[in-house]
Amino acid sequence: MSYILSEEEQMLRDSAQAFLAEKSPVSELRRLRDEGCKDGFRHAIWKDMADMGWNGIVIPEEFGGVDMGFTAAGLILQEMGRTLAATPFLASSVLCATALRYGGTDGQKSEHLPKIASGEKVYALAVDEKARHDASHIETRARKDGNGFRLSGQKRHVVCGNGADMLIVAARMDDDSIGLFLVDPEASGVERTLRRSVDSHAPANIQFDDVKLDGDALLSETEDGSALLDLVLDSGRACLAAEQLGIAEEAFSRTLDYIKEREQFGQKIGSFQSLQHRAAHLLTEVEMTQSLVIKALRQLDEAPSQAPLWIAAAKAKATRVSRLSSAEAIQMHGGVGMTDEYEIGFFYKRAQAAGEFLGDDAWGAGRVAQLSGY
Amino acid sequence: MSDLESFRNDVRDWLEANCPDSMRKPMKSEKDICWGGKRFEFSSDDQKAWLERMAEKGWTCPSWPKEYGGGGLSKDEAQILKEEMERIKARPPLISFGIWMLGPALLKYGSEEQKCHYLPQITRGEIRWAQGYSEPGAGSDLAALRTKGDDKGDHWIVNGQKVWTSYADECDWIFALVRTEPDAPKHLGISFLLIDMEWDGVSTKPIKLISGKSPFCETFFDDVKVPKENIVHQPGRGWDVAKYLLSHERANIAGGGSGAQMNPVAAAHKSGEVDENGRVADPILRGDIARLTIDALAFETTLQRIKDQADGGQGVGAKASMLKYYGTELNKRRHELNMSALGSDGLLWEGENPEDGDPARGWLRSRANSIEGGTSEIQLNILAKRVLELPGG
Ligand SMILES: Cc1cc2nc3c(=O)[nH]c(=O)nc-3n(C[C@H](O)[C@H](O)[C@H](O)COP(=O)(O)OP(=O)(O)OC[C@H]3O[C@@H](n4cnc5c(N)ncnc54)[C@H](O)[C@@H]3O)c2cc1C
């Protein structure tokens, strides 16, 4: 396993950097927010991303993807973290694509994966029902009904949920095992409520009231829905940790620029030792995070059975460090850091939301303890 | 079979045949370390045999050139040797300041004669070296050192005092920073000298630590005659050597941060502080340990990542400061949690068994990690200046 990026990976990262700087800088997130965008992303940019091949980054070529693996997906998300690009990439191209790839029948794959890859449709994953991430707590029910199912329950804060064209919903079946179901959000009995969130994304609470599903709504390639869900969530966590790393890096780099510029007491504030030490500490923490993130992504690609520990550690570390970095950013910017006009606050907000999604640092610590047998 | 694979097989066979069973158990305490040196007393015949066999192969310093007593191994081969030793839990045959401090400095700055003379003594564990840097008035501000060498033509007469000299009373030679150019600017007046501690005028006095041990000393130089050929690099350029050596020292101290000898979970089992499922009973302590585990994993992967980068030609440079800072702070945390997990059992200072006081003594000793080799604050200063390029003096 190498910590060094391959040439292909570096090229991907460079093109992501260039694309996002041009099409989706932080000002674009501000614009989405100020326009009151209900989908939480810009469709035109999403289409452009599909043209770059990104939307099918973990989708096999036979289903319209480029199949470059999770490390590649993580590299794109890391760059998205740097510009705070709000897109369905994580929900649709990572979480749902992974669910379909590993849980879908051939029929389901050929129907849905090309739509994700082409950007024609946006998919979102609905798992959580409590305020804090807890994938073991699923009370949504999918009762057998003839050849199909009846779905009832509530999902909370479904990321990208308001703009999604299709949902993949985790529900308990008659034998209490977990199943993942494809659900059309426009079907009768589905009700979405937009929740405007602090990071200017557009998640939704979604209510399912005796929704009628066909038999082939269930991702049924695998028997063990719970293992499938674990894999899906872990792929999302590893990639999200990469986004958090990007947030941490960018907030830090903007702060460094600022303390090299701003003067007080007749000198650059970056010459004060108390700020220097905190900056040096941040440098160290960001480097540590970077190592865990690349390790987690590579393990997912190369040795998935050993990946969960690394992923939990990476998600926990990235949560903590992205929050620390953006919080320190505000402090070191002083008053200007508190203004809406200045962009640094957007990083702090996104760090909070990204940290919460799929398990924060406390969640990660619990999982690490459990996986380590203590 | 590739060359590396057959190398691995050879290493495996050789270790199997040559590493004594008693050397395949983790070291319990400092007492099990083989430091080498003229006065070193081996704790067992196995320890002696293990050192001799490894030194014969050059594997006490696997990547040093063969002509200087090393193993002449490539990076990949050295990694294989390390892995194979870890696999059978083989102890390091020899640990010394010669290996991780002086050796690298001599390889870079020493004359051919010096390399041929001093390096093999290090690889064979014949000479034990002390580090004479710090002085009462020169700690973090090392370049303020005042030990001086008066130029007497073919030799210097050295006078002054060093302090915190680890194991000086057990060492044979000392590499010391001495001011030989009194009129030069602070950093340009220092020379790096090699001094035999048996020479007239060198004396040491042990200092007792909070851990109850005396691993370091005051070292005095009274009119010590040091021949001119005992200088490494040029007169007045000792600071370059000193800094280069420090980066190796730091990387090495940092490495201790990944050491899992001290395991708070095992400690909780020992003290009975686990529940019926074998989980650490106190949920907050369990969480703290888990956060430690996460940071330890982060540190371990960072060590590997930086090694990968170094292999790929990107220098490690000031990153040694990052590793030193993070690794030592981590190690202190590990010891603190170890003590918490042991509860009152950890407070034992001495008891029936020789190892009874080890947790407390180890915990106390760990406080020095972020002081020795340059304090944490100094590492942060270095990072701020050299890596982040922040302004100010
Ligand atoms: C166990 C142990 C073994 C050692 N072994 C050796 C050895 O073998 N050979 C040898 O030469 N030395 C050795 N040392 C000495 C060690 O290198 C020094 O203790 C260390 O460099 C700090 O110097 P000092 O003790 O004089 O502390 P000081 O320099 O007086 O520092 C005191 C405090 O002030 C802080 N401080 C100082 N300057 C700054 C600054 N510019 N900015 C912010 N904070 C600052 C320090 O971080 C520290 O917290 C050893 C030390 C220990 C504890």
Side-chain angles (χ1 to χ4, degrees):
Chain A
M1 197 219 100
S2 168
Y3 288 88
I4 311 287
L5 297 184
S6 69
E7 228 164 89
E8 195 187 16
E9 288 166 342
Q10 279 177 30
M11 272 164 53
L12 175 71
R13 192 193 51 192
D14 292 347
S15 72
Q17 215 164 50
F19 174 88
L20 292 163
E22 190 203 324
K23 302 269 174 134
S24 192
V26 181
S27 54
E28 166 67 12
L29 177 65
R30 180 193 295 278
R31 221 172 298 130
L32 283 173
R33 180 194 70 178
D34 294 347
E35 288 167 6
C37 176
K38 289 202 172 72
D39 290 343
F41 66 95
R42 185 89 57 200
H43 287 266
I45 295 178
W46 184 236
K47 272 286 184 199
D48 288 344
M49 286 173 53
D51 293 343
M52 312 268 296
W54 297 354
N55 297 5
I57 198 99
V58 300
I59 293 175
E61 285 172 24
E62 52 175 319
F63 301 113
V66 294
D67 203 9
M68 284 181 70
F70 291 109
T71 306
L75 288 173
I76 293 177
L77 268 158
Q78 187 178 348
E79 295 308 319
M80 292 182 164
R82 299 193 81 130
T83 68
L84 300 180
T87 80
F89 186 78
L90 182 71
S92 204
S93 299
V94 175
L95 289 166
C96 290
T98 303
L100 281 157
R101 176 173 189 169
Y102 295 101
T105 59
D106 282 343
Q108 289 167 330
K109 284 194 268 200
S110 39
E111 185 185 344
H112 297 282
L113 286 175
K115 290 182 186 156
I116 294 180
S118 68
E120 179 193 335
K121 292 268 163 24
V122 166
Y123 286 57
L125 181 76
V127 176
D128 277 323
E129 300 177 9
K130 298 191 355 181
R132 284 177 59 76
H133 172 66
D134 180 359
S136 69
H137 179 96
I138 289 176
E139 289 180 347
T140 296
R141 282 274 163 195
R143 274 179 297 103
K144 193 90 187 127
D145 178 38
N147 282 334
F149 302 89
R150 293 275 178 172
L151 186 74
S152 289
Q154 290 188 38
K155 294 292 177 183
R156 195 138 146 179
H157 206 87
V158 176
V159 163
C160 215
N162 212 52
D165 306 301
M166 185 60 82
L167 302 171
I168 295 182
V169 181
R172 245 173 238 292
M173 312 218 277
D174 291 337
D175 63 355
D176 278 348
S177 67
I178 298 290
L180 296 184
F181 294 87
L182 285 152
V183 182
D184 179 355
E186 300 297 325
S188 100
V190 182
E191 197 184 315
R192 289 195 270 192
T193 317
L194 169 65
R195 269 162 75 92
R196 292 210 176 276
S197 58
V198 69
D199 56 343
S200 308
H201 285 221
N205 282 352
I206 307 182
Q207 170 103 23
F208 304 94
D209 196 4
D210 211 26
V211 179
K212 195 167 161 22
L213 302 177
D214 289 344
D216 65 359
L218 173 66
L219 300 188
S220 52
E221 191 57 28
T222 153
E223 292 275 285
D224 189 348
S226 168
L228 172 64
L229 181 58
D230 268 348
L231 172 69
V232 170
L233 292 172
D234 261 354
S235 68
R237 287 171 189 133
C239 292
L240 184 52
E243 181 190 333
Q244 294 173 301
L245 170 63
I247 296 171
E249 287 175 331
E250 182 65 19
F252 179 47
S253 120
R254 288 176 181 225
T255 304
L256 266 184
D257 289 346
Y258 188 77
I259 67 176
K260 286 179 183 176
E261 280 295 313
R262 167 81 174 161
E263 291 188 7
Q264 285 292 281
F265 299 97
Q267 51 193 311
K268 309 280 187 214
I269 58 172
S271 65
F272 299 129
Q273 197 181 50
S274 68
L275 298 195
Q276 290 190 343
H277 280 193
R278 283 154 63 186
H281 175 73
L282 268 176
L283 165 78
T284 308
E285 290 286 16
V286 171
E287 288 273 345
M288 296 292 148
T289 309
Q290 202 178 340
S291 312
L292 274 182
V293 166
I294 183 85
K295 175 85 180 187
L297 289 165
R298 290 254 196 258
Q299 289 286 94
L300 199 54
D301 282 329
E302 294 170 19
S305 67
Q306 286 157 51
L309 176 72
W310 296 103
I311 292 171
K315 182 67 174 66
K317 187 81 186 162
T319 295
R320 231 173 148 80
V321 173
S322 57
R323 288 176 179 174
L324 176 71
S325 175
S326 53
E328 286 285 72
I330 292 185
Q331 180 65 21
M332 293 195 207
H333 277 80
V336 76
M338 286 299 295
T339 62
D340 183 64
E341 191 190 336
Y342 214 77
E343 287 181 347
I344 208 76
F346 283 84
F347 287 87
Y348 188 57
K349 295 176 193 175
R350 178 62 193 149
Q352 188 60 28
E356 185 52 50
F357 188 38
L358 303 177
D360 65 2
D361 53 321
W363 174 90
R367 175 123 161 139
V368 162
Q370 182 204 346
L371 292 169
S372 312
Y374 61 81
Chain B
M1 197 177 349
S2 78
D3 287 353
L4 284 180
E5 278 170 67
S6 70
F7 176 76
R8 187 185 292 277
N9 287 339
D10 292 349
V11 168
R12 200 173 279 194
D13 292 345
W14 188 88
L15 287 175
E16 199 44 59
N18 288 284
C19 183
D21 284 343
S22 68
M23 293 294 111
R24 301 186 192 190
K25 297 191 182 91
M27 294 194 279
K28 278 215 211 103
S29 70
E30 283 232 0
K31 285 164 239 145
D32 291 332
I33 298 178
C34 176
W35 292 102
K38 287 186 197 161
R39 283 171 289 162
F40 184 71
E41 284 173 27
F42 290 98
S43 62
S44 67
D45 291 345
D46 280 352
Q47 192 187 42
K48 184 158 185 275
W50 179 223
L51 170 62
E52 286 170 357
R53 290 172 194 166
M54 284 292 274
E56 181 68 35
K57 295 283 279 185
W59 286 357
T60 50
C61 301
S63 52
W64 293 9
K66 274 203 162 129
E67 60 265 38
Y68 308 135
L73 302 189
S74 69
K75 268 194 171 134
D76 288 341
E77 289 169 339
Q79 179 62 25
I80 286 174
L81 173 60
K82 185 165 166 265
E83 285 167 14
E84 289 302 314
M85 285 178 66
E86 277 166 7
R87 199 177 54 80
I88 61 166
K89 300 200 174 64
R91 291 179 186 176
L94 179 66
I95 290 178
S96 79
F97 287 17
I99 295 179
W100 46 275
M101 295 191 208
L102 181 61
L106 280 178
L107 282 168
K108 184 165 167 81
Y109 290 104
S111 67
E112 191 53 32
E113 270 179 336
Q114 287 170 335
K115 291 186 212 174
C116 292
H117 181 69
Y118 294 109
L119 293 176
Q121 296 176 337
I122 293 174
T123 63
R124 292 195 298 261
E126 291 165 1
I127 296 293
R128 185 168 177 190
W129 285 89
Q131 178 188 32
Y133 277 25
S134 307
E135 298 182 5
S140 297
D141 185 11
L142 182 58
L145 61 93
R146 295 218 304 257
T147 294
K148 64 171 179 155
D150 288 325
D151 195 332
K152 301 287 176 192
D154 66 345
H155 65 273
W156 286 283
I157 294 294
V158 174
N159 278 288
Q161 185 198 339
K162 297 289 172 183
V163 73
W164 321 131
T165 329
S166 292
Y167 309 107
D169 53 343
E170 295 166 26
C171 288
D172 307 307
W173 280 66
I174 183 167
F175 50 91
L177 296 179
V178 176
R179 190 164 297 285
T180 56
E181 327 293 312
D183 302 324
K186 197 171 165 187
H187 292 87
L188 295 174
I190 299 167
S191 294
F192 191 101
L193 305 185
L194 307 178
I195 300 174
D196 187 335
M197 298 188 77
E198 284 178 8
W199 286 345
D200 283 347
V202 184
S203 60
T204 62
K205 198 170 135 211
I207 307 169
K208 196 165 170 179
L209 277 188
I210 54 175
S211 59
K213 297 180 181 166
S214 301
F216 57 19
C217 301
E218 293 175 286
T219 304
F220 302 93
F221 301 105
D222 291 306
D223 288 333
V224 180
K225 187 175 162 189
V226 181
K228 283 268 168 94
E229 68 255 29
N230 280 31
I231 187 171
V232 178
H233 205 31
Q234 290 146 20
R237 302 304 297 273
W239 190 247
D240 297 344
V241 187
K243 271 199 313 193
Y244 180 75
L245 184 149
L246 272 174
S247 71
H248 282 267
E249 177 181 6
R250 285 171 185 157
N252 213 294
I253 296 174
S258 60
Q261 310 94 315
M262 198 53 72
N263 178 349
V265 174
H269 278 272
K270 233 179 184 167
S271 62
E273 291 293 331
V274 287
D275 66 15
E276 62 278 9
N277 301 315
R279 301 186 349 167
V280 176
D282 185 311
I284 310 279
L285 179 60
R286 178 169 176 264
D288 285 350
I289 295 174
R291 289 190 191 279
L292 174 83
T293 302
I294 291 167
D295 289 343
L297 292 172
F299 182 68
E300 189 187 302
T301 49
T302 302
L303 281 178
Q304 286 165 14
R305 187 163 65 89
I306 287 184
K307 220 172 120 249
D308 272 12
Q309 288 169 346
D311 289 352
Q314 294 176 260
V316 172
K319 288 203 172 146
S321 291
M322 193 173 79
L323 298 176
K324 159 75 166 79
Y325 166 61
Y326 204 84
T328 57
E329 295 296 332
L330 190 65
N331 201 40
K332 289 194 296 185
R333 244 169 89 203
R334 181 180 287 122
H335 277 277
E336 285 165 6
L337 287 174
N338 197 59
M339 288 294 281
S340 298
L342 286 169
S344 59
D345 287 358
L347 301 177
L348 207 57
W349 187 245
E350 27 191 42
E352 296 151 22
N353 307 309
E355 66 269 18
D356 274 344
D358 284 352
R361 290 169 199 268
W363 160 69
L364 290 164
R365 176 63 180 80
S366 75
R367 304 315 299 181
N369 294 160
S370 52
I371 299 172
E372 59 200 327
T375 67
S376 281
E377 290 76 16
I378 293 302
Q379 306 312 314
L380 292 172
N381 285 349
I382 292 172
L383 292 171
K385 301 263 152 57
R386 296 220 205 111
V387 180
L388 301 178
E389 298 176 337
L390 287 167

